[in-house]
Amino acid sequence: MTRRPRQYGLCSTCKRVYGLTKDGRTLRHFGISPAGFGTDQPCEGWGKPAEAPAPATQDRHEGAPMTADDWNRLFPIGTPVLAWPGVRDAEPMRTQTRTPAWTLGHGAPVVSVEGYPGGIALTHIEPVRPQGGETEAPG
């Protein structure tokens, strides 16, 4: 049995990229507060048609879906990164990864970094060159 590749799209409510059902509706995900933190309530956009598909060719550091396997193939534990635990508009943490990436039950790939408990979505992580402050786009 061959699995079809998961399709991703932009939630019309929270404006984040999530997996889609076969008919183009967003998979279950939780809401985001105005400060950019997850809530314990499902997002109002859950189950609604995606606002737009997420282009597979979009640069990875610009929010295109990267799988945990993609990340782990490219970046070992200890990779220097910029991390945005909340919203990407905030000042990032300059840190390093402390675990391999993994996939949460609802499909979001995350990785743990030094100085922050739990996982941070790969859409909120950017690898950096150890010698400077410029970001390095994966893959």
Side-chain angles (χ1 to χ4, degrees), residues 8 60 64-73 101-103 109-110 122:
Y8 293 86
R60 301 278 193 212
M66 176 184 275
T67 68
D69 288 339
D70 290 341
W71 177 270
N72 293 333
R73 205 172 11 264
W102 74 95
T103 304
V110 298
L122 293 184

Side-chain angles (χ1 to χ4, degrees), residues 3 6 10 14 16 18 25 29-30 32 35 40 43 62 65 69-71 77 85 89 95 108 113 117 121 137:
R3 296 178 105 185
R6 180 174 299 277
L10 191 66
C14 65
R16 295 187 186 265
Y18 291 99
R25 297 177 183 278
H29 60 281
F30 289 93
I32 303 294
D40 62 349
C43 176
E62 291 182 359
D69 288 339
D70 290 341
W71 177 270
I77 295 170
D89 294 340
T95 184
V113 299

Side-chain angles (χ1 to χ4, degrees), residues 1 9 11 39-40 42 54 56 65-66 69 71 74 77-78 82 90 99-100 104 108-109 124 128:
M1 180 171 151
C11 173
T39 68
D40 62 349
M66 176 184 275
D69 288 339
W71 177 270
L74 294 168
I77 295 170
L82 295 177
T99 66
L104 297 174
H124 284 64
V128 296

